[in-house]
Amino acid sequence: MTTTTTTAGPDAPADLTGPGDSTRPTGPDDDIRENPAAHRVLTGDRPTGPLHLGHYFGSLRNRVRLQRLGVEMFLVIPDYQVITDRDVADRLAEHTENLVLDYLATGIDPDRATVFTHSSVPALNQLLLPFLSLVSVAELHRNPTVKDEIAHSSQASVNGLMLTYPVHQAADILFCKADLVPVGKDQLPHLEVARTVARRFDERYPRPDGTPVFPRPRALLSDAPLLLGTDGGKMSKSRGNSIPLAADEDTTARLVKGAKTDTERRITYDPAGRPEVSNLVLLAALCQDRAPETVAEEIGDGGSAALKRTVTEAVNEHLRPIRARRAELATDRGHLRAVLRAGSERANGIADATLAEVREVMGSL
């Protein structure tokens, strides 16, 4: 589960949804700040390629912020889910290690966050069976996020794993009883499936004392707009329109230079009227921690060439320490594998306990 919305900076507030509606924001995260230890966050990224600036501003920086506040963090690398929309899991081990590399380089502390792979936690995946019995085929077909993923799938036909993708994500969230899930708005239908599964499980298998087995996970939403890709569409690893965090400075300059703009010379920040230009302005503003209107005003009549120079300099300056840290960490791949082993061991203990609890209330023991 990835987040694709952007935040205005490392201390920007996120919105929590209310207990009755997983799409209704209820204000800034005061409760997280006041009582961080009471919350558990589950998030992650599929190992299908390098993480990019959309991941960084939409998710990674906020994960580090939550970690520093003291929120318990679970980062799943859902390697099994790679084959939902492709025939083979290409370069899976390499992509998995590179995800860990990106996590650590951007500030995730493996001593304070549990980083693990899907395939290394059998009990998590075993939860999928009872969870699937709680969701109808019609509900899976209606899921708008699945429809979008099917439309962009590289497969000739839709497989069963793709259709049940939201239930896999429900298992990811509920195995560790996460109550908060950072998501972009496009992922809210998946989170609603997890809430539905949790509610229906507790209704079908009630405990004698009435206490629920699973929490009703809430969305942790950013209040900033999506970062677009260099082609003006949604920034995505699979669509070849992203700027990877691991790209060197020359590659970054080339990618920014090729980004779509328009023919107007004066640079303004107008997301509705000039989405591609405004996206570049926003990217520079995020890197410089400034208002996009200020950035646009400074560029003024410089045109797209001046805009792209500003963006290139801002991105390279902001990512320079992260890239240096990443290069240092990359010299010890054994450490990356050790982080995964330790995280997977802890995740297994939690998943085993949850599965035992599920079996007990279902009368399977």
Side-chain angles (χ1 to χ4, degrees):
M1 179 170 294
T2 64
T3 57
T4 51
T5 53
T6 64
T7 57
D11 297 317
D15 286 335
L16 295 176
T17 60
D21 181 357
S22 69
T23 66
R24 178 170 55 85
T26 60
D29 51 351
D30 294 333
D31 183 53
I32 294 178
R33 293 183 181 278
E34 293 172 4
N35 193 15
H39 299 286
R40 178 175 280 181
V41 167
L42 184 284
T43 186
D45 306 276
R46 292 202 301 166
T48 55
L51 296 186
H52 52 65
L53 287 173
H55 295 113
Y56 176 68
F57 287 113
S59 179
L60 293 174
R61 287 210 310 185
N62 202 39
R63 294 176 196 178
V64 174
R65 180 184 70 90
L66 291 168
Q67 173 189 268
R68 289 172 179 165
L69 287 173
V71 176
E72 189 174 13
M73 183 78 59
F74 283 75
L75 294 176
V76 60
I77 299 176
D79 45 358
Y80 274 162
Q81 291 177 3
V82 170
I83 54 176
T84 55
D85 60 353
R86 56 200 70 207
D87 295 322
V88 295
D90 184 46
R91 298 162 57 195
L92 186 57
E94 176 188 346
H95 289 323
T96 298
E97 287 185 12
N98 283 336
L99 274 185
V100 180
L101 196 53
D102 286 332
Y103 291 165
L104 301 186
T106 52
I108 291 296
D109 182 353
D111 292 330
R112 300 163 67 186
T114 302
V115 183
F116 65 99
T117 58
H118 215 170
S119 59
S120 66
V121 188
L124 184 167
N125 296 292
Q126 200 165 341
L127 289 170
L128 181 63
L129 296 178
F131 286 177
L132 278 172
S133 72
L134 301 169
V135 182
S136 72
V137 173
E139 287 172 319
L140 294 174
H141 276 292
R142 286 197 301 267
N143 188 293
T145 309
V146 169
K147 289 181 180 179
D148 181 69
E149 289 166 348
I150 288 173
H152 293 93
S153 172
S154 60
Q155 292 180 320
S157 60
V158 178
N159 60 43
L161 192 57
M162 170 68 84
L163 198 62
T164 60
Y165 188 30
V167 187
H168 278 263
Q169 291 198 333
D172 295 341
I173 296 165
L174 298 176
F175 98 93
C176 64
K177 301 189 177 181
D179 67 310
L180 296 174
V181 184
V183 291
K185 290 182 180 179
D186 60 331
Q187 288 284 319
L188 283 173
H190 280 349
L191 182 60
E192 192 57 44
V193 171
R195 290 168 58 84
T196 298
V197 166
R199 185 185 73 253
R200 289 177 182 173
F201 184 90
D202 288 325
E203 290 172 350
R204 184 174 295 183
Y205 307 107
R207 282 173 162 162
D209 63 1
T211 59
V213 174
F214 296 109
R216 307 300 185 259
R218 296 179 293 167
L220 196 55
L221 288 170
S222 164
D223 59 359
L226 288 167
L227 272 181
L228 302 179
T230 54
D231 60 356
K234 175 183 173 182
M235 188 177 289
S236 170
K237 290 181 288 186
S238 62
R239 300 179 192 183
N241 63 356
S242 63
I243 301 174
L245 294 179
D248 60 34
E249 297 195 3
D250 289 342
T251 300
T252 298
R254 176 177 57 79
L255 292 171
V256 172
K257 185 177 181 180
K260 186 178 179 181
T261 55
D262 60 30
T263 58
E264 269 190 67
R265 183 164 185 81
R266 182 160 187 83
I267 300 303
T268 58
Y269 184 65
D270 178 11
R274 305 180 69 189
E276 295 90 357
V277 166
S278 298
N279 183 65
L280 289 174
V281 171
L282 176 62
L283 180 52
L286 288 168
C287 290
Q288 296 172 345
D289 197 20
R290 296 198 297 162
E293 293 84 0
T294 302
V295 174
E297 182 65 27
E298 286 186 0
I299 298 171
D301 292 326
S304 61
L307 171 61
K308 291 178 179 181
R309 283 196 302 271
T310 299
V311 173
T312 298
E313 292 168 4
V315 170
N316 283 334
E317 178 67 23
H318 187 81
L319 292 184
R320 196 165 288 129
I322 293 173
R323 288 166 169 169
R325 174 64 174 155
R326 194 182 191 282
E328 178 185 351
L329 289 164
T331 62
D332 186 1
R333 309 295 286 199
H335 175 62
L336 305 179
R337 291 187 285 271
V339 166
L340 281 174
R341 282 196 301 270
S344 295
E345 182 177 351
R346 181 161 189 268
N348 266 294
I350 293 170
D352 288 344
T354 300
L355 181 60
E357 188 177 7
V358 164
R359 285 172 167 169
E360 182 178 5
V361 298
M362 291 179 66
S364 300
L365 293 181

